[in-house]
Amino acid sequence: MFQINLPDDVKYILNTLRAAGYEAYAVGGCVRDCLLGKLPKDWDVTTSALPEDVKRLFPRTVDTGIKHGTVTVMVKSEGYEVTTYRVDGKYTDGRHPESVSFTASLDEDLKRRDFTINALVYNETNGVTDLFGGTDDLDNKIIRCVGVAEERFGEDALRILRAIRFSAQLGFEIEEDTYKAAVKLGGQLKKVSAERIKTELDKTLISDNPGHICLLNTMGLDRVILPELENADQEFISAALIRSRNELTIRWAVTALAMELGNEEALEPGALTVKVLHRLKFDNKTLDRIVLFVRTIRNGFPGEEDEDIRIRCRRLASILGWENTDDFLNLCEAVGIGLKHAGRKNTFNFVPELIEEELKKIKENGDCISLKELAVNGKDLIECGIEAGTGLGKTLNGLLEAVLKDPDMNTRDRLLETVKNKG
Ligand code: ATP
Ligand code: MG
């Protein structure tokens, strides 16, 4: 019998439930990951005990999803989701089933789960219970729906994106019937909320096989959830993604850049990206970083062709900020490889290796690259007789530009002198 090394907290929860006469198992992702030799992110429990029984048996619980039978059991500072065996009603909001009913049957509970590899349960007495061939599918690296795929995707279309996400995370293939059903029912993704879609796309992109995002295109799903992706160069996307660092903003920047390059109306660098990311309900900080990357790369290596590379690199650092230069260079490298792979011309003119060297020196020298580091501020200029307002900002930016060109300019005297001469 295959043994899983359950964490003590999980043993305690399973033992407590079983000692009280209920069935209880670790379920879903944790069992799957253990069988794959991976460390599970979290442990979920499925049980025949009703939520009120679970609450009675454990001193500290939180009603996280009590309507759907989920109680979080706290052990020390760790929470574990314990869910009563249930049968799902219709999914009308595409998020939660409209109604659920509890059942005493493990079979019934496992039937409602999405994929065979996610419908595995384990406890120390029974070992792994596998009612739908999930262990074979794990061995054969296959994502397959539990039951009739078309019905399962019809109930909750998000499962289509989950199939792609798991295929990316695990490096698995989607089984033929499941794949065909996903293509057929793809239109149903219209009903799924942007937040849920984003979560699955994020997980697909920050996986070991980010190129699986191109399945959206192959399966005709981008048309439904991300039409901007339809005309994007898929060769470029997959090649660039694989070469990029596993970081959400870099991976999204690759994807968004491909969208902009594939859409001729995307004249203004970054504008299409803003639109798409807004629709997907990105938080502002992440959105800003992705847009900064896309805009900066599309604008090309800043400065004139015949200008000293050190100056151009200071300008680049000034646009990006030091917190972004490293990831940006990784993006440039990946984009360069992606374009080459797709047989496209690289017109952006970034040479990551050269730029990296220069940036290192600029940083070591402590050269000023931002208004914060300028030897004068707005107050100094006002004292010099410059009027507060937009003109002031312009003057400060002009001074920064002068300092980017010549760091020796960054003294209070020299900068004020420049201002006075101009004034
Ligand atoms: P992860 O490692 O990303 O947490 P997971 O398999 O644990 O993967 P969860 O989203 O945490 O995925 O869900 C836990 C379990 O609940 C799944 O393994 C699956 O059995 C079931 N499940 C989750 N979402 C769905 C869904 N939309 N439809 C059917 N079953 C689902
Ligand atoms: Mg999970």
Side-chain angles (χ1 to χ4, degrees):
M1 193 167 81
F2 190 88
Q3 288 286 332
I4 289 177
N5 221 341
L6 296 174
D8 288 344
D9 291 356
V10 178
K11 277 187 199 165
Y12 155 72
I13 294 172
L14 296 184
N15 290 342
T16 305
L17 286 162
R18 299 181 72 219
Y22 302 105
E23 294 175 18
Y25 298 87
V27 64
C30 58
V31 180
R32 177 197 69 219
D33 289 345
C34 285
L35 290 174
L36 288 171
K38 299 185 177 183
L39 202 64
K41 285 192 296 284
D42 45 30
W43 292 82
D44 296 324
V45 170
T46 186
T47 178
S48 60
L50 292 170
E52 58 261 35
D53 300 322
V54 176
K55 290 172 70 167
R56 186 170 43 78
L57 285 169
F58 297 95
R60 281 190 305 137
T61 61
V62 184
D63 291 358
T64 21
I66 193 102
K67 276 208 302 219
H68 301 102
T70 303
V71 170
T72 298
V73 171
M74 299 301 299
V75 187
K76 285 158 264 167
S77 58
E78 207 62 54
Y80 298 86
E81 288 198 350
V82 176
T83 305
T84 304
Y85 292 167
R86 67 176 212 221
V87 184
D88 291 348
K90 261 184 109 53
Y91 283 76
T92 39
D93 65 350
R95 190 186 315 258
H96 293 301
E98 192 165 85
S99 60
V100 307
S101 42
F102 300 131
T103 166
S105 149
L106 174 65
D107 274 43
E108 288 294 320
D109 181 82
L110 294 181
K111 262 194 227 161
R112 73 171 171 90
R113 294 178 183 270
D114 49 6
F115 305 112
T116 59
I117 59 167
N118 287 344
L120 298 166
V121 293
Y122 179 88
N123 69 21
E124 285 178 324
T125 311
N126 303 306
V128 175
T129 301
D130 174 11
L131 301 178
F132 306 102
T135 45
D136 279 348
D137 287 342
L138 276 182
D139 286 341
N140 298 320
K141 299 178 177 284
I142 282 172
I143 311 286
R144 182 201 311 269
C145 281
V146 170
V148 181
E150 278 191 31
E151 287 173 16
R152 311 318 312 284
F153 291 144
E155 290 159 0
D156 178 10
L158 182 78
R159 291 171 185 159
I160 296 171
L161 298 186
R162 284 174 60 88
I164 294 175
R165 183 258 280 202
F166 286 117
S167 85
Q169 288 180 326
L170 305 172
F172 282 20
E173 212 161 306
I174 302 174
E175 178 273 332
E176 195 179 335
D177 281 344
T178 299
Y179 184 97
K180 282 184 181 155
V183 171
K184 187 166 171 193
L185 289 158
Q188 305 279 326
L189 277 166
K190 268 206 167 58
K191 295 192 213 158
V192 177
S193 73
E195 290 89 342
R196 287 180 96 206
I197 289 175
K198 175 183 180 292
T199 304
E200 297 304 324
L201 298 182
D202 284 354
K203 288 183 177 176
T204 303
L205 286 173
I206 48 177
S207 70
D208 286 346
N209 303 281
H212 284 215
I213 198 80
C214 294
L215 280 172
L216 293 176
N217 189 265
T218 325
M219 298 168 81
L221 305 172
D222 48 5
R223 192 179 321 139
V224 185
I225 57 166
L226 214 56
E228 293 83 356
L229 203 57
E230 262 198 290
N231 296 321
D233 186 333
Q234 306 292 319
E235 285 284 318
F236 163 73
I237 295 179
S238 60
L241 282 175
I242 290 159
R243 274 310 305 262
S244 68
R245 190 174 288 164
N246 195 354
E247 204 280 324
L248 189 73
T249 54
I250 301 181
R251 296 253 161 116
W252 266 108
V254 168
T255 312
L257 176 67
M259 291 185 209
E260 296 210 355
L261 298 181
N263 287 274
E264 273 161 21
E265 68 273 29
L267 287 177
E268 167 75 24
L272 183 93
T273 302
V274 171
K275 195 176 99 186
V276 170
L277 300 187
H278 261 301
R279 207 174 60 224
L280 286 173
K281 309 265 161 65
F282 269 75
D283 65 276
N284 287 336
K285 196 173 158 212
T286 312
L287 181 146
D288 286 346
R289 193 165 200 254
I290 298 167
V291 173
L292 175 69
F293 284 167
V294 171
R295 189 183 290 140
T296 309
I297 204 160
R298 277 197 70 194
N299 283 335
F301 190 32
E304 302 304 319
E305 206 56 56
D306 55 1
E307 211 175 5
D308 178 18
I309 182 167
R310 180 76 52 94
I311 297 173
R312 298 179 74 181
C313 284
R314 278 194 211 102
R315 203 171 281 128
L316 178 64
S318 163
I319 292 166
L320 291 168
W322 286 122
E323 68 279 18
N324 296 314
T325 53
D326 197 40
D327 279 348
F328 181 76
L329 285 183
N330 180 268
L331 173 66
C332 286
E333 211 175 298
V335 165
I337 292 166
L339 290 171
K340 196 164 170 193
H341 190 89
R344 297 171 70 115
K345 212 170 154 228
N346 188 345
T347 53
F348 303 125
N349 284 328
F350 289 98
V351 187
E353 312 82 64
L354 280 184
I355 295 177
E356 190 178 1
E357 284 278 297
E358 288 297 326
L359 288 177
K360 219 164 117 193
K361 288 176 198 150
I362 293 166
K363 206 170 187 177
E364 273 167 18
N365 291 344
D367 292 351
C368 160
I369 57 139
S370 68
L371 290 176
K372 290 198 301 289
E373 300 160 282
L374 214 54
V376 297
N377 59 25
K379 206 166 137 246
D380 299 320
L381 297 190
I382 290 169
E383 278 166 12
C384 254
I386 306 251
E387 271 181 52
T390 50
L392 189 66
K394 261 199 196 134
T395 307
L396 281 168
N397 280 314
L399 293 177
L400 176 60
E401 179 57 31
V403 168
L404 292 175
K405 283 196 174 120
D406 176 9
D408 290 341
M409 284 290 294
N410 198 23
T411 68
R412 194 185 146 85
D413 288 348
R414 292 189 70 176
L415 292 177
L416 290 181
E417 194 183 331
T418 312
V419 173
K420 279 177 197 147
N421 290 341
K422 284 218 175 108

